[in-house]
Amino acid sequence: MKSDYDKYRHQELRSLVKGIFVTTKNNYQKTDADTAIISRGEGQDLKDCSFQAVDRERYYNLFEIALTYKNCQFKYKGNRDNQSKFDQTTAMYNSVDFFVKRNIPLDYTFQSQEETALFSRLIYRFITQLLDVLFEEYPSDTESKYQEVLDQIRCEVIVKDIYELIYETAKWSDAELITYGKRTVDECDSVILIDFGYESSKYLTDDIDTCLKLRPVDKRIIFTHSELENDFYEIDAINYKKIQYAKNINYYPMEMFDLIDEQKDFYKYKRHNKDRSVPRFLCVAFSLNDVIVLPDYKNNDIKKNIRNKLAERAYAYIYEKYIDFKKQSINRCNQIGSILNELMCIDYRLLFGDNEYLPSAFKLGFVRFEQFLKNQSIELSDKNTVFKYLITVWIDEFSCILDSMLVDDNYRDFIKGAMLNKYLRAVKAQEKTNNLDEANKLFFDFYKKYKNAIEDFIRKVDVVKKEFYDNQFEECLQNGSSSYEHLRYALSLYKTYLQNPNTK
């Protein structure tokens, strides 16, 4: 008779295997360290797993092959025709779905083949953490431990930037590689690593920035780029140099806004900006003889000149392979619509009342905010109040995004006809609400009441804010104008823009 521990272990192992492979019987055959065949529908059944060392090896190998081997083929030994089409991408997205169903937001899409492989390796790491619990030699309280690991993975995914996670153990050889000039990689003698960074990735893809940038006052420079990314090395370096991920220079980008469906006590996550269009890192291989340095350059400018030329090559490659202005323009408008819909549905009377209420779209942001305070050893008397202030600061940033639409011809070229009418109907419906008038008044009362707590935070943390409407955020408050008035004004301009898309 199986113990409760074994019943739970079989239940969760079945959920994991069936969720990813669909079949409960799976076998594999290795050829070398990167080549193998997985046969779905044949082999030992899950019910026969006794959680011994041989079973442990079987299931670890099965997931490792499916998610990390470069040359992995799948065969199906069954009678269901609709199960015959299965490849490594299927296994990866089934794995993503497994975690998403457990409210772990891993539903990213990477356009770079190399980053997709790194992402798949990350998913395998998370799966091994779960297998470690299920195959523990002397199990005790397996259910509690398993749920604890899921919680740890969820927190890691929510708090950390996805690039930080996938590049955690990556080498230069794991990054996308291009060459300078007409050389093949074998004809190159040197290589440089280009870090497109947080700001460049946002700019290149025209994605909605849902982050606020924070930095402790006593730590003006928190993160710096690795020296490895500011120099070039012999081509063999790609095999041993680690990519030293740097979040950003001078600030910590904290994601504020997420789309979440509230269902009782369960939050179903829907990622707002899941498409990773531009690779974060790119290696450029080159031959030093091909990079012409003009004779009037001083010696100490030679490396800088070479780096600039290689960076130009990298950005040209990105624009050619990854930038799709029409797709990104439509995506940006869809994101704006989703965000506006959330902001217009907020109960601002409840938000600025004497309670700890937070709109669902900002709840994960609050988790990240708490982690930021913990990481930087910052003590606050009222974190919830301060975070409501930060929501208002971010809404000011979002208003600037609406303004930026008015001067970009890409949107005028790409959002026309039925698509334009859809956006226009949505924004007209959003503009009718008097929610923002009420929010403006309520925020001023809130700000006056909790000014001491907010100023205590400002003494400890800089919030890197844009300047628009000719004044800084706090100066606008002194003049009786808050983010909600700015948003109402920007929304009105956005509606006018949509009504007259051909007006220059």
Side-chain angles (χ1 to χ4, degrees):
M1 182 176 177
K2 292 180 181 177
S3 67
D4 288 341
Y5 290 137
D6 280 346
K7 285 180 182 177
Y8 183 80
R9 293 201 290 177
H10 272 104
Q11 169 192 312
E12 293 305 325
L13 182 61
R14 179 182 178 83
S15 177
L16 188 59
V17 173
K18 192 168 175 32
I20 294 168
F21 295 98
V22 184
T23 52
T24 57
K25 291 182 179 180
N26 300 282
N27 208 349
Y28 61 84
Q29 184 177 357
K30 292 184 181 181
T31 302
D32 55 43
D34 255 339
T35 306
I37 297 174
I38 290 179
S39 298
R40 297 166 54 246
E42 72 171 8
Q44 181 177 311
D45 202 319
L46 272 168
K47 65 183 180 181
D48 298 323
C49 175
S50 57
F51 295 96
Q52 300 301 310
V54 64
D55 298 307
R56 178 189 179 97
E57 182 181 10
R58 177 183 299 112
Y59 285 105
Y60 276 76
N61 283 341
L62 183 66
F63 286 105
E64 182 182 20
I65 291 167
L67 294 170
T68 70
Y69 273 39
K70 290 182 179 178
N71 302 305
C72 176
Q73 294 183 357
F74 290 85
K75 293 183 178 179
Y76 179 61
K77 306 286 185 177
N79 300 319
R80 297 169 63 186
D81 292 338
N82 63 340
Q83 290 301 324
S84 60
K85 292 183 179 180
F86 194 102
D87 57 19
Q88 208 159 24
T89 301
T90 311
M92 185 188 72
Y93 282 114
N94 284 352
S95 303
V96 167
D97 191 52
F98 170 86
F99 285 106
V100 168
K101 285 178 179 177
R102 286 149 186 81
N103 207 20
I104 297 173
L106 275 169
D107 51 335
Y108 289 97
T109 302
F110 293 89
Q111 300 303 319
S112 166
Q113 185 176 350
E114 288 75 11
E115 288 188 342
T116 299
L118 288 171
F119 182 51
S120 196
R121 270 169 38 184
L122 171 69
I123 291 170
Y124 172 65
R125 173 167 77 81
F126 289 149
I127 288 176
T128 60
Q129 290 175 236
L130 297 175
L131 292 176
D132 287 344
V133 177
L134 297 179
F135 284 92
E136 195 173 50
E137 188 173 358
Y138 302 104
S140 62
D141 199 13
T142 304
E143 183 173 357
S144 176
K145 289 180 180 177
Y146 193 80
Q147 294 303 318
E148 184 179 331
V149 171
L150 284 173
D151 289 341
Q152 290 170 355
I153 295 171
R154 185 179 300 110
C155 183
E156 191 172 3
V157 172
I158 288 171
V159 171
K160 290 186 178 180
D161 180 77
I162 188 62
Y163 289 122
E164 181 181 1
L165 288 171
I166 67 172
Y167 283 106
E168 192 172 40
T169 59
K171 297 184 177 68
W172 284 29
S173 56
D174 294 314
E176 193 159 348
L177 177 66
I178 62 172
T179 60
Y180 180 86
K182 298 182 179 179
R183 299 277 186 177
T184 65
V185 175
D186 291 338
E187 295 172 326
C188 295
D189 54 40
S190 305
V191 65
I192 191 169
L193 182 69
I194 304 292
D195 179 0
F196 289 105
Y198 173 84
E199 297 289 3
S200 291
S201 296
K202 292 285 184 181
Y203 171 75
L204 288 168
T205 58
D206 208 6
D207 195 13
I208 300 294
D209 191 351
T210 51
C211 284
L212 270 186
K213 300 154 186 77
L214 309 179
R215 58 188 174 203
V217 168
D218 60 345
K219 297 178 183 177
R220 292 291 176 176
I221 298 180
I222 306 172
F223 307 111
T224 57
H225 287 281
S226 163
E227 290 182 3
L228 295 179
E229 288 128 35
N230 293 322
D231 211 340
F232 48 83
Y233 297 83
E234 294 182 357
I235 189 68
D236 289 343
I238 62 173
N239 297 317
Y240 61 85
K241 290 286 185 186
K242 280 192 65 177
I243 294 177
Q244 297 187 5
Y245 175 89
K247 296 182 183 70
N248 277 288
I249 295 177
N250 292 344
Y251 55 77
Y252 181 96
M254 188 188 73
E255 193 82 23
M256 292 284 294
F257 180 94
D258 302 276
L259 294 177
I260 299 176
D261 287 339
E262 284 194 86
Q263 299 175 352
K264 297 181 181 178
D265 295 327
F266 177 74
Y267 302 111
K268 185 180 179 183
Y269 189 98
K270 297 190 301 180
R271 186 168 297 286
H272 153 256
N273 50 356
K274 66 180 180 179
D275 193 359
R276 307 290 94 177
S277 297
V278 175
R280 176 65 192 261
F281 294 97
L282 185 71
C283 282
V284 184
F286 62 100
S287 171
L288 276 171
N289 291 333
D290 293 338
V291 186
I292 301 171
V293 180
L294 299 177
D296 57 339
Y297 273 86
K298 298 178 182 178
N299 287 336
N300 60 356
D301 287 332
I302 290 176
K303 281 191 174 182
K304 181 179 179 181
N305 183 43
I306 291 175
R307 285 196 300 269
N308 288 342
K309 288 190 174 187
L310 298 176
E312 287 176 6
R313 163 75 177 108
Y315 275 93
Y317 170 81
I318 291 295
Y319 273 104
E320 179 182 349
K321 182 169 182 180
Y322 289 108
I323 304 302
D324 181 338
F325 288 112
K326 181 175 183 179
K327 175 184 175 182
Q328 290 168 9
S329 296
I330 294 171
N331 185 50
R332 185 177 172 90
C333 288
N334 286 332
Q335 290 176 354
I336 286 174
S338 298
I339 292 172
L340 284 173
N341 188 58
E342 290 288 331
L343 296 182
M344 295 303 169
C345 292
I346 291 174
D347 185 337
Y348 289 101
R349 188 169 293 280
L350 192 58
L351 175 64
F352 295 124
D354 295 326
N355 54 70
E356 294 190 354
Y357 165 79
L358 287 173
S360 60
F362 293 96
K363 286 187 176 179
L364 288 182
F366 184 66
V367 173
R368 298 182 185 105
F369 179 57
E370 288 185 304
Q371 191 65 41
F372 165 77
L373 296 175
K374 180 180 178 181
N375 291 345
Q376 302 302 327
S377 302
I378 296 172
E379 295 288 336
L380 294 179
S381 59
D382 192 344
K383 293 180 287 188
N384 189 273
T385 292
V386 169
F387 190 72
K388 291 179 180 182
Y389 160 79
L390 292 178
I391 288 174
T392 304
V393 174
W394 176 77
I395 288 174
D396 226 36
E397 302 274 291
F398 177 68
S399 299
C400 184
I401 291 171
L402 288 184
D403 280 353
S404 69
M405 297 283 290
L406 312 179
V407 295
D408 195 318
D409 292 338
N410 284 330
Y411 302 103
R412 300 180 186 276
D413 293 337
F414 295 134
I415 53 171
K416 295 179 179 179
M419 188 180 302
L420 175 63
N421 291 331
K422 181 186 83 168
Y423 295 131
L424 186 55
R425 284 195 302 271
V427 78
K428 282 181 176 178
Q430 290 156 346
E431 195 186 28
K432 287 178 183 177
T433 180
N434 61 0
N435 228 12
L436 296 181
D437 289 331
E438 184 178 39
N440 195 50
K441 297 171 185 174
L442 290 169
F443 176 72
F444 274 106
D445 292 337
F446 170 86
Y447 184 77
K448 290 173 185 176
K449 184 174 183 178
Y450 295 106
K451 191 174 181 180
N452 289 340
I454 293 169
E455 288 182 343
D456 175 56
F457 169 73
I458 293 171
R459 282 192 293 270
K460 297 174 181 177
V461 178
D462 284 338
V463 183
V464 184
K465 299 186 289 290
K466 297 181 177 71
E467 290 185 36
F468 37 93
Y469 303 108
D470 300 323
N471 296 101
Q472 285 278 13
F473 180 83
E474 281 75 18
E475 291 175 18
C476 290
L477 293 180
Q478 298 301 320
N479 296 328
S481 174
S482 83
S483 303
Y484 303 97
E485 186 175 336
H486 295 168
L487 179 59
R488 183 180 59 185
Y489 176 67
L491 185 58
S492 176
L493 292 178
Y494 182 50
K495 185 197 72 172
T496 302
Y497 163 77
L498 290 176
Q499 286 175 321
N500 303 281
N502 296 316
T503 302
K504 297 290 182 179

